[in-house]
Amino acid sequence: MPQWPVHARITGPIVMIGFGSIGRGTLPLIERHFDFDRTRFTVIDPDDSDRALLDERGIRFEHLAITRDNYRDALSGLLKEGDGQGFCVNLSVDTSSLDIMKSCREIGVLYIDTVVEPWPGFYFDKSLGPEARSNYALRETVLAAKREQPGGTTAVSCCGANPGMVSWFVKQALLNLAADLGDKGAEPTAREEWGQLAHRLGVKGIHIAERDTQYGQKHKPLNVFVNTWSVEGFLSEGMQPAELGWGTHEKWMPDNAGKHQTGCGAAIYLNQPGANTRVRSWTPTPRAQYGFLVTHNESISIADYFTVPGWLGTASYRPTCHYAYHPCDDAVLSLHELFGRAGVVQPDNHILTENDVVDGIDELGVLLYGHKKNAYWYGSQLSIEATRRIAPYQNATGMQVTSAVLAGMVWALENPEAGIVEADEMDFRRCLEVQRPYLGPMIGVYTDWTPLTDRSGLFPEDIDTSDPWQFRNVLVR
């Protein structure tokens, strides 16, 4: 058995909100890599089906749903119990990340989450327009809180696989690309220098390009939504409008696109659900593929982070950035079934656990495109076999998330007064150092594929042949 390093000591209580697939997978990583008082570790969840894992470890379980009415009382007592600095690990759905984050910072407690999650009802509120239901809008609430109270106790926002880990991949991929292109500039040390590097290298855009090939022992039944991670989480983001960071090289915009009138201005949205919006992309195993343009925080934060300012608040450079997600085959069938019934969600759902999955990998990386070497994919190829060897209670998809949570927790403990931060602002080298043992093979691959490759020419298409990497050519219409 490997000797796993203990990265840090958590001196106060630990409260984990949510004990679904990601919470269960994060538990053994916390046990493995932190020194902490087990008697002050509490897990809170409205579902007690997996509490046996906690009971056998002597970890307290609160059978409770965190709501806007009880979150302060339910959390503050636990997080202030005894001495030391507490840590809130929010891995739940239907809880306001912003409200809980603010509450934790008020009492000096470290905080981490994997998404800017709202209170229940937000995602499916028909009284809100698509702009208001966007991840752009949710992110702006966190940025506003950061401006209002800069510095202070660290709260890490959106630190899972994506958003989170993929932001660290982008920086490493840029350095790899710079070396291969013979760029002589110094390695960036500040945000503006990273944007200048991406601009100098000619990177027009970035796909968060993922292919999940994991499959279970049984075929997907009718009227059941099957996925390799939270079905509720996937459906919530999938029914939000498709969103993407909007690059300065783009010459065409879809007719149903909308621009935001306030905020950072780095992204646009489409008036259609992301889980029913297809884009052309590429990953090493399947090569060319269709992905879903599901909205994610990193699509906006990466585009924002790498923006080079121009005159009067304009951008002289910004990469286009968006998710291009091909989930497991059963999830694709589940989406097909769902949208075939006008978006009515199936009455049952099932997550393919490590016990269900027969074979497959989750190939998750970043595709940097438009530069002199065309396109470069850098990322993780994590198999279910490797996952089972490394840690319990999770499949390959889950481990890419839980190991990023681990890395974010380590970084927060080492930087406890950094204020509210996104993954783009963290030390990518340190985070990947912590996470790398859990990612399987890490590879970088160049490809000559573009969104115009192998178009049949059998039917007329609205494409831009002058620049293969226009979003006009990426979007499936």
Side-chain angles (χ1 to χ4, degrees):
M1 294 292 290
Q3 293 297 311
W4 298 101
V6 175
H7 290 298
R9 173 169 173 73
I10 300 174
T11 59
I14 304 171
V15 174
M16 180 187 290
I17 309 172
F19 201 56
S21 60
I22 302 305
R24 290 193 303 274
T26 302
L27 173 63
L29 303 191
I30 291 176
E31 293 180 308
R32 182 179 285 177
H33 292 287
F34 296 115
D35 181 15
F36 63 93
D37 183 350
R38 190 175 296 270
T39 66
R40 292 200 289 165
F41 190 166
T42 305
V43 173
I44 303 175
D45 196 288
D47 182 353
D48 65 351
S49 58
D50 290 304
R51 71 171 299 167
L53 293 177
L54 303 169
D55 293 341
E56 66 188 23
R57 289 167 162 79
I59 294 174
R60 185 187 314 168
F61 177 75
E62 294 283 344
H63 190 198
L64 178 70
I66 297 296
T67 69
R68 67 172 74 238
D69 296 322
N70 71 9
Y71 75 95
R72 285 185 177 274
D73 292 339
L75 297 176
S76 60
L78 293 170
L79 288 166
K80 293 191 294 184
E81 182 181 72
D83 56 5
Q85 184 175 38
F87 209 132
C88 180
V89 184
N90 186 1
L91 306 176
S92 63
V93 296
D94 289 340
T95 62
S96 169
S97 305
L98 180 63
D99 284 349
I100 296 172
M101 174 193 298
K102 285 182 174 180
S103 181
C104 287
R105 279 169 42 83
E106 287 171 6
I107 60 176
V109 169
L110 298 171
Y111 173 89
I112 191 169
D113 61 39
T114 62
V115 63
V116 183
E117 182 76 6
W119 292 118
F122 174 89
Y123 293 119
F124 302 97
D125 187 345
K126 294 182 180 179
S127 70
L128 297 176
E131 180 178 2
R133 291 190 299 107
S134 66
N135 266 325
Y136 183 100
L138 288 169
R139 178 175 182 261
E140 286 295 327
T141 64
V142 175
L143 295 183
K146 181 175 182 174
R147 290 190 296 269
E148 291 165 5
Q149 292 188 315
T153 304
T154 297
V156 180
S157 176
C158 296
C159 190
N162 54 317
M165 171 189 76
V166 293
S167 291
W168 310 329
F169 283 2
V170 170
K171 288 185 175 180
Q172 185 60 62
L174 281 171
L175 295 182
N176 296 350
L177 181 60
D180 292 344
L181 290 176
D183 184 83
K184 302 301 182 183
E187 181 174 320
T189 57
R191 174 175 178 167
E192 58 270 18
E193 295 172 357
W194 282 105
Q196 291 163 2
L197 174 61
H199 190 194
R200 191 166 68 245
L201 296 178
V203 174
K204 292 182 177 179
I206 302 164
H207 287 180
I208 313 304
E210 179 176 7
R211 179 61 174 260
D212 185 350
T213 66
Q214 295 171 101
Y215 63 91
Q217 300 172 13
K218 300 178 181 179
H219 293 295
K220 186 197 93 64
L222 286 172
N223 299 316
V224 179
F225 196 110
V226 179
N227 198 21
T228 53
W229 57 284
S230 170
V231 172
E232 290 121 329
F234 189 25
L235 289 176
S236 294
E237 67 187 26
M239 297 304 286
Q240 286 179 274
E243 295 183 79
L244 62 157
W246 193 241
T248 47
H249 78 286
E250 302 289 359
K251 297 181 289 186
W252 169 91
M253 186 178 289
D255 292 338
N256 68 343
K259 292 183 177 181
H260 297 276
Q261 302 306 308
T262 60
C264 70
I268 65 170
Y269 62 93
L270 307 184
N271 279 288
Q272 60 191 68
N276 201 26
T277 303
R278 295 184 299 171
V279 288
R280 296 173 176 87
S281 190
W282 189 95
T283 67
T285 296
R287 304 180 72 79
Q289 66 173 17
Y290 279 162
F292 293 110
L293 203 166
V294 175
T295 178
H296 263 197
N297 183 276
E298 79 273 8
S299 301
I300 306 157
S301 72
I302 291 173
D304 188 13
Y305 185 86
F306 286 94
T307 296
V308 176
W311 290 99
L312 301 175
T314 62
S316 64
Y317 166 77
R318 177 185 296 126
T320 293
C321 183
H322 61 80
Y323 199 9
Y325 179 35
H326 191 304
C328 74
D329 290 350
D330 277 349
V332 174
L333 288 173
S334 299
L335 288 174
H336 186 68
E337 181 179 60
L338 181 147
F339 285 110
R341 37 202 278 171
V344 176
V345 178
Q346 290 90 333
D348 294 310
N349 64 65
H350 178 69
I351 296 175
L352 295 174
T353 70
E354 70 280 7
N355 298 318
D356 295 317
V357 177
V358 175
D359 197 6
I361 67 172
D362 200 317
E363 187 168 71
L364 171 57
V366 294
L367 183 73
L368 279 59
Y369 59 81
H371 46 79
K372 290 182 179 179
K373 293 178 76 68
N374 187 55
Y376 176 68
W377 188 95
Y378 177 80
S380 161
Q381 295 178 315
L382 182 61
S383 70
I384 185 61
E385 292 86 355
T387 302
R388 290 187 179 114
R389 290 195 302 268
I390 298 170
Y393 313 139
Q394 54 206 306
N395 58 32
T397 305
M399 183 168 285
Q400 289 168 333
V401 178
T402 61
S403 56
V405 173
L406 166 68
M409 291 180 69
V410 172
W411 189 90
L413 288 160
E414 294 174 347
N415 300 270
E417 293 292 322
I420 298 172
V421 297
E422 294 179 302
D424 312 270
E425 303 168 293
M426 299 161 72
D427 181 348
F428 79 100
R429 290 191 187 278
R430 176 56 175 151
C431 291
L432 287 180
E433 177 185 35
V434 172
Q435 192 182 9
R436 192 176 294 272
Y438 293 99
L439 295 179
M442 292 289 297
I443 68 167
V445 181
Y446 288 99
T447 175
D448 59 3
W449 175 86
T450 79
L452 295 182
T453 299
D454 294 330
R455 294 283 185 111
S456 71
L458 295 174
F459 301 95
E461 292 188 272
D462 179 18
I463 59 177
D464 185 345
T465 57
S466 69
D467 179 4
W469 291 108
Q470 288 289 309
F471 186 66
R472 185 176 199 158
N473 302 328
V474 173
L475 181 65
V476 178
R477 291 173 284 154

